[in-house]
Amino acid sequence: MQVSSRHIDTWLTLQSNLGRAPNTIAAYSFALRDYQQFCSDQNTCVDIASREQVSQYVRNLLNRRVSKSKGISSSLFANATIRQRITVVRLFYDYLIEEGLRTTNPVRRGNQFNNRNRRDIRAIVPIQHKMPWIPNEEEWQRLLAEAQGMSLRNRLMLTLAYDGGLRREELCLLNTKDIDPSHRLLHIRAETTKAKRDRIVPYSASTGQLLLDYLRYRRRLTSARGAIFISESSRNIGMPITFWAWSKVIRSLGNAAGLPRFSTHTLRHLCLTDLARSGWDLHEIATFAGHRNTSTTLIYIHLSGRELATKLAVASSVHGLRLEDISESLQ
């Protein structure tokens, strides 16, 4: 097991040196330590594990329940979680092959084509394409009612996350220098984004007033420039808010509203869906969201039901005219 640990540590250090985000490194480490523990329980070394061990690990993940601090949850691991774990294991074995420590990778790749008959090779864990969850109008009003009792900072973060369609990292890492109040614009820096691309997003006048009120309040906590959103607790006062602290706020809000599926990403999903409902062009939404590929943006077009609703209206019109024609002809 010591040899496996050394190779895992070396690979994680390599990924860190290549500039992978800290959250990515943490996810890699968690996945590999979990796989290493499974192999240890099977009396197998990670370095020499076979496809049989990998298949057993997949089965283990498919049957495993999500652990909670107060016991065992009734929910199984999400498809995306399982795929992420397996992808990390595959990348690690690619590294072992490159270093001459293995000759084959026990985790096969999916979405490839056989050169002879062009058949698709099925992924080891098939992708499940699920629409993101967003609250309906009644659920949204419940969330807003609960949010009224939140602190000024949290209310602004909630508003800005929706108004700008911001990811958790983009929101929490906003800096005072990223604000252009004269034009009501936010500069989303490349290093805080998933696609590593700068973008500029506008915010509304109501959000601007809330932002102005918060910045006045913030000056009473600290005069230092830097992170916009800072801790208000006596222990860490003036320190930048962490991702986990914001996630905890959102989780508490969702639970209070009776909506445990509400997450930090829900506000972004809702924003982009609302833009699609409002008739924004696909490429306009992609630019606003910072998507590299418009196929990602299409999710929100589909979720809005805009295209289907338009086609249904046309179909209903044609159907109605045909019925009138039949009625007139047969009477």
Side-chain angles (χ1 to χ4, degrees):
M1 296 305 133
Q2 293 181 350
V3 175
S4 295
S5 296
R6 177 166 56 82
H7 291 154
I8 289 174
D9 291 340
T10 301
W11 185 73
L12 291 173
T13 300
L14 176 64
Q15 298 307 308
S16 179
N17 291 340
L18 290 174
R20 302 289 187 267
N23 285 351
T24 301
I25 299 300
Y28 284 178
S29 177
F30 191 85
L32 286 177
R33 300 305 177 191
D34 182 71
Y35 177 60
Q36 182 184 28
Q37 183 60 54
F38 173 82
C39 288
S40 177
D41 293 341
Q42 300 294 316
N43 296 317
T44 302
C45 178
V46 170
D47 295 353
I48 62 172
S50 65
R51 285 192 175 185
E52 181 181 358
Q53 275 81 48
V54 171
S55 67
Q56 291 172 354
Y57 180 59
V58 172
R59 174 53 56 190
N60 177 272
L61 292 175
L62 290 171
N63 293 330
R64 196 186 302 182
R65 301 282 173 176
V66 180
S67 299
K68 297 291 184 181
S69 57
K70 296 183 180 180
I72 303 299
S73 168
S74 60
S75 60
L76 296 169
F77 272 7
N79 174 262
T81 300
I82 298 174
R83 287 179 56 81
Q84 181 196 57
R85 298 280 181 93
I86 297 302
T87 297
V88 174
V89 173
R90 174 173 58 77
L91 292 173
F92 175 67
Y93 280 125
D94 281 343
Y95 161 75
L96 294 183
I97 293 173
E98 291 171 0
E99 294 298 309
L101 300 171
R102 280 188 69 108
T103 57
T104 60
N105 192 324
V107 185
R108 74 162 186 255
R109 286 174 171 78
N111 302 323
Q112 296 181 358
F113 291 91
N114 185 301
N115 288 330
R116 294 182 77 182
N117 53 23
R118 304 292 293 174
R119 289 188 306 171
D120 185 42
I121 300 175
R122 187 181 182 187
I124 192 169
V125 180
I127 300 176
Q128 294 178 4
H129 297 281
K130 294 185 178 181
M131 289 291 188
W133 175 83
I134 57 173
N136 58 32
E137 189 58 31
E138 184 271 332
E139 292 169 335
W140 178 243
Q141 293 303 320
R142 276 158 50 192
L143 285 166
L144 291 183
E146 292 294 335
Q148 288 177 1
M150 297 170 70
S151 68
L152 176 59
R153 183 202 67 188
N154 291 344
R155 281 184 282 126
L156 172 61
M157 293 183 73
L158 191 75
T159 303
L160 208 52
Y162 170 78
D163 203 358
L166 304 181
R167 300 181 179 92
R168 181 184 63 171
E169 290 78 3
E170 295 170 350
L171 177 67
C172 293
L173 293 176
L174 278 174
N175 196 288
T176 51
K177 65 182 180 182
D178 297 330
I179 308 173
D180 179 1
S182 60
H183 296 93
R184 295 205 305 268
L185 296 174
L186 289 178
H187 174 210
I188 311 301
R189 287 169 285 122
E191 60 267 27
T192 71
T193 68
K194 184 177 180 180
K196 301 304 176 187
R197 292 182 177 182
D198 280 352
R199 73 180 190 277
I200 303 293
V201 297
Y203 58 88
S204 64
S206 58
T207 300
Q209 184 57 54
L210 202 58
L211 176 60
L212 181 61
D213 294 341
Y214 171 72
L215 291 177
R216 288 171 180 160
Y217 168 73
R218 182 185 181 278
R219 281 196 289 269
R220 300 206 299 265
L221 301 179
T222 179
S223 59
R225 295 181 65 81
I228 294 178
F229 301 112
I230 57 177
S231 173
E232 300 170 343
S233 69
S234 57
R235 185 176 59 179
N236 300 312
I237 192 164
M239 298 295 292
I241 188 174
T242 65
F243 303 153
W244 319 120
W246 177 234
S247 294
K248 185 177 180 180
V249 168
I250 289 295
R251 185 164 57 250
S252 297
L253 174 61
N255 289 336
L259 300 170
R261 297 177 68 183
F262 183 65
S263 71
T264 56
H265 216 63
T266 301
L267 295 165
R268 176 175 166 86
H269 289 322
L270 184 59
C271 169
L272 300 182
T273 302
D274 284 345
L275 294 181
R277 289 167 173 165
S278 301
W280 276 41
D281 179 78
L282 175 68
H283 294 281
E284 292 173 337
I285 299 174
T287 300
F288 181 86
H291 289 156
R292 282 184 177 178
N293 195 322
T294 54
S295 63
T296 304
T297 316
L298 276 172
I299 293 173
Y300 304 101
I301 301 293
H302 296 326
L303 191 59
S304 71
R306 186 182 72 194
E307 292 179 339
L308 292 179
T310 302
K311 290 182 178 180
L312 180 61
V314 173
S316 299
S317 176
V318 172
H319 185 67
L321 290 173
R322 193 175 298 280
L323 279 176
E324 290 180 9
D325 187 38
I326 291 175
S327 299
E328 291 176 1
S329 300
L330 299 181
Q331 283 182 351

